[in-house]
């Protein structure tokens, strides 16, 4: 994986998309499913018997909106630059014979591809439009392919109509699709024949997260104020070999499955300050801890899993639409319960995945034998 720059900061940051199928899952990801099984076996027992540097009962959660805004801005720039390197010249180069490309990403609500297209003045195709609306466009971007179909044999016609239109279209087409929907669509030959090998984002490891946080912290205060609850060390401090002294960020990369949006959300949901200010705990010190994993309740677990699986494939949708995509009757209270335990957010009857809970959702579905996405 190519990384950019000539110094420690930029060297740690990936700068190119990778081919789908070559994703290097962080080391701890392979333990996610077993972790859920082990949790259920150990129900009621302490999950961590090690001694932390500070009692979490002495901490109170805080927010840092300016720093989060800076981190998100840096991350957006990194991801946008990846898209630019892969697709920028291709989208305008008339001699390039490859007319169609696909960008596959985790099923998290974001407008990365739409924003990139708009920055370049490229037309964006949404489900309410057709390619016929852009007859002379040299390149059209379809940011959410999953919005064009429902997982029902009677509702796949709009998708196949779109594929037929793409095959006839004389300009270039770049589609974005969430990884669970792409796994489902691979059962049809249309997607691989039309788009060939898809691209995806690389995993962000602990050093990458450190580089982003260091860059943001340099603009917003002391980079050494972020302290690990587990060790009491600064999470950005390095040893003589230029390695991170504390393992927090590497563990965060594993817990977030290497997906940077998730890591950022987990990080800012965990920052805290001590309730007691003294010489040993400076007032400006910010403590960070890994988030606790969540599990589905045993009551109604099957119904909850089928609901989550539909959400993973189809992405954010109104409750009524999602209910129609689930094989069996959806019990009353299904989405309310998933909202209550923090797996989804429900706003005005519209459901989307809670970003910080995506790893737990994926683990729950994998443990239960559902088909998972592939990166």
């Amino acid at each position: 994986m190519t990384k950019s720059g000539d110094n420690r900061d930029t060297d740690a940051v990936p700068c190119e998309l990778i081919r789908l199928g070559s994703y290097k899952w962080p080391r701890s990801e392979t333990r996610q499913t077993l972790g859920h099984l082990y949790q259920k076996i150990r129900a009621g027992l302490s999950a961590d018997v090690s001694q932390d540097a500070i009692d979490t009962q002495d901490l109170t959660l805080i927010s840092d909106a300016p720093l989060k805004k800076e981190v998100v801005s840096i991350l957006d720039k990194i991801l946008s630059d990846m898209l630019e390197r892969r697709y920028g010249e291709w989208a305008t180069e008339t001699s390039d014979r490859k007319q169609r490309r696909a960008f596959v990403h985790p099923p998290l609500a974001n407008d990365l591809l739409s924003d990139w297209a708009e920055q370049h003045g490229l037309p964006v195709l949404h489900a309410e439009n057709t390619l016929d609306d852009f007859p002379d466009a040299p390149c059209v971007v379809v940011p959410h392919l999953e919005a064009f179909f429902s997982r029902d044999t009677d509702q796949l016609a709009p998708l196949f109509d779109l594929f037929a239109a793409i095959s006839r279209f004389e300009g270039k087409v770049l589609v974005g699709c969430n990884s669970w929907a792409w796994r489902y669509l691979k059962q049809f030959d249309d997607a691989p024949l039309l788009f060939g090998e898809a691209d995806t984002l690389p995993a962000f490891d602990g050093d990458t997260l450190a580089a982003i946080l260091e860059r943001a912290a340099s603009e917003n205060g002391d980079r050494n104020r972020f302290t690990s609850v587990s060790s009491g060390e600064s999470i950005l401090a390095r040893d003589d070999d230029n390695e991170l002294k504390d393992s927090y960020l590497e563990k965060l990369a594993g817990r977030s499955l290497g997906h940077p949006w998730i890591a950022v959300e987990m990080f800012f949901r965990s920052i805290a300050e001590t309730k007691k200010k003294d010489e040993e705990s400076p007032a400006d010190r910010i403590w960070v801890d890994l988030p606790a994993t969540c599990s589905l309740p045993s009551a109604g677990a099957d119904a909850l899993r089928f609901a989550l699986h539909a959400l993973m494939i189809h992405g954010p949708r109104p409750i009524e639409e999602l209910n129609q995509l689930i094989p069996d009757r959806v019990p009353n209270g299904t989405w309310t319960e998933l909202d209550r335990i923090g797996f989804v957010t429900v706003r005005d009857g519209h459901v989307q995945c809670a970003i910080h809970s995506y790893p737990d959702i994926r683990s729950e579905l994998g443990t239960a034998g559902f088909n998972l996405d592939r990166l």
Side-chain angles (χ1 to χ4, degrees):
M1 176 176 62
T2 304
K3 296 186 177 183
S4 62
D6 301 318
N7 55 50
R8 185 187 68 200
D9 181 353
T10 54
D11 282 349
V13 178
C15 64
E16 294 181 356
L17 299 179
I18 60 173
R19 289 301 183 192
L20 189 68
S22 63
Y23 192 82
K24 295 182 179 179
W25 296 94
R27 286 191 297 268
S28 62
E29 193 280 334
T30 57
R31 300 191 180 96
Q32 289 284 322
T33 298
L34 288 177
H36 263 287
L37 290 174
Y38 187 54
Q39 265 196 329
K40 295 178 186 298
I41 294 172
R42 294 188 65 200
L45 300 179
S46 172
D48 188 358
V49 297
S50 62
Q51 183 65 46
D52 288 335
I54 188 171
D55 188 342
T56 54
Q57 297 298 316
D58 293 333
L59 298 175
T60 181
L61 293 175
I62 60 173
S63 64
D64 193 334
L67 179 62
K68 184 175 182 180
K69 182 178 180 181
E70 182 66 22
V71 168
V72 169
S73 175
I74 292 170
L75 176 59
D76 285 348
K77 179 66 164 58
I78 292 170
L79 300 180
S80 180
D81 285 350
M82 288 186 189
L83 294 177
E84 180 63 24
R85 287 186 180 92
R86 179 72 83 188
Y87 305 123
E89 185 176 341
W90 166 83
T92 57
E93 177 55 61
T94 56
S95 63
D96 194 315
R97 297 183 61 188
K98 185 171 177 54
Q99 293 292 94
R100 296 170 285 271
R101 290 190 174 183
F103 169 61
V104 176
H105 54 82
L108 306 175
N110 67 80
D111 292 313
L112 178 64
L113 197 55
S114 298
D115 292 344
W116 177 83
E118 290 175 4
Q119 289 170 10
H120 288 74
L122 298 175
V124 175
L125 178 64
H126 298 290
E128 60 271 18
N129 303 114
T130 69
L131 271 178
D132 292 336
D133 296 329
F134 312 105
D136 301 320
C139 181
V140 175
V141 176
V142 187
H144 297 291
L145 187 61
E146 63 273 12
F148 285 82
F149 78 96
S150 296
R151 189 184 49 173
D152 186 307
T153 54
D154 296 328
Q155 300 185 53
L156 289 173
L159 174 70
F160 294 134
D161 288 344
L162 174 63
F163 283 160
I166 290 175
S167 68
R168 297 190 304 265
F169 189 65
E170 294 185 1
K172 296 179 180 179
V173 178
L174 171 61
V175 302
C177 187
N178 93 51
S179 50
W180 294 69
W182 191 258
R183 168 77 188 274
Y184 173 77
L185 293 177
K186 291 278 282 187
Q187 67 181 295
F188 309 112
D189 290 334
D190 306 66
L193 287 175
L194 280 174
F195 304 105
E197 289 187 282
D199 303 311
T200 192
L201 295 168
F204 280 48
D205 60 19
D207 279 327
T208 301
L209 297 180
I212 294 172
L213 190 57
E214 285 172 335
R215 197 183 304 176
S218 67
E219 303 291 333
N220 289 269
D222 182 7
R223 58 184 294 276
N224 289 317
R225 61 188 174 133
F226 298 104
T227 308
S228 168
V229 166
S230 176
S231 69
E233 293 270 5
S234 165
I235 63 171
L236 295 176
R238 296 181 180 269
D239 59 22
D240 293 339
D241 295 322
N242 207 26
E243 299 292 335
L244 292 169
K245 289 184 178 181
D246 185 80
S247 62
Y248 168 80
L249 288 172
E250 194 62 42
K251 290 178 178 177
L252 180 63
R255 183 69 65 82
S256 63
L257 310 184
H259 302 322
W261 297 288
I262 301 174
V264 169
E265 192 67 22
M266 286 181 168
F267 179 84
F268 283 99
R269 287 175 64 89
S270 75
I271 60 175
E273 63 182 7
T274 182
K275 300 174 184 176
K276 303 174 182 178
K277 303 296 190 298
D278 53 44
E279 293 182 359
E280 295 183 359
S281 183
D284 62 349
R285 177 177 291 187
I286 294 178
W287 295 87
V288 294
D289 198 7
L290 292 171
T293 58
C294 298
S295 298
L296 294 174
S298 56
D302 286 345
L304 297 176
R305 292 189 188 101
F306 276 110
L308 288 172
H309 194 239
L311 179 63
M312 292 300 97
I313 292 175
H314 293 287
R317 293 201 184 195
I319 288 176
E320 293 78 7
E321 288 187 24
L322 287 168
N323 286 348
Q324 297 299 316
L325 302 170
I326 299 172
D328 300 318
R329 173 184 171 273
V330 181
N332 292 311
T334 295
W335 298 107
T336 302
E337 177 66 2
L338 288 171
D339 189 11
R340 184 191 67 81
I341 61 181
F343 275 43
V344 306
T345 57
V346 179
R347 298 291 182 272
D348 299 324
H350 197 269
V351 185
Q352 67 181 41
C353 170
I355 295 177
H356 65 280
S357 292
Y358 175 70
D360 293 328
I361 293 173
R362 193 175 190 277
S363 183
E364 283 280 357
L365 295 177
T367 300
F370 284 79
N371 288 332
L372 302 179
D373 66 333
R374 293 174 179 169
L375 295 175

